[in-house]
Amino acid sequence: MAEKRVNPETGVLEEKHWYGWDASTNSEGREERINPETGVREEKRWYGWTSVDS
């Protein structure tokens, strides 16, 4: 299992690859982040970031 982190500058969830850190994707194939202002988990859609319905 790959090592993961939350990027401290962007809040984007990232996964470690042999070449460095890259945005991690969820089961839907979308990037996720923890909104640095609200702490809410969000996923990236074509129109921007939206909260993830749990």
Side-chain angles (χ1 to χ4, degrees), residues 2-49:
E3 186 179 346
K4 294 188 178 190
R5 74 172 185 179
V6 174
N7 183 307
E9 295 178 8
T10 63
V12 173
L13 297 173
E14 297 178 329
E15 194 169 305
K16 191 172 190 178
H17 298 279
W18 62 270
Y19 52 82
W21 292 94
D22 193 18
S24 179
T25 56
N26 61 19
S27 60
E28 305 278 322
R30 296 187 179 108
E31 289 181 31
E32 287 192 357
R33 75 173 183 176
I34 305 299
N35 185 310
E37 294 177 8
T38 64
V40 174
R41 196 169 120 235
E42 299 175 332
E43 63 182 16
K44 192 173 192 177
R45 305 280 180 107
W46 63 270
Y47 51 83
W49 292 96

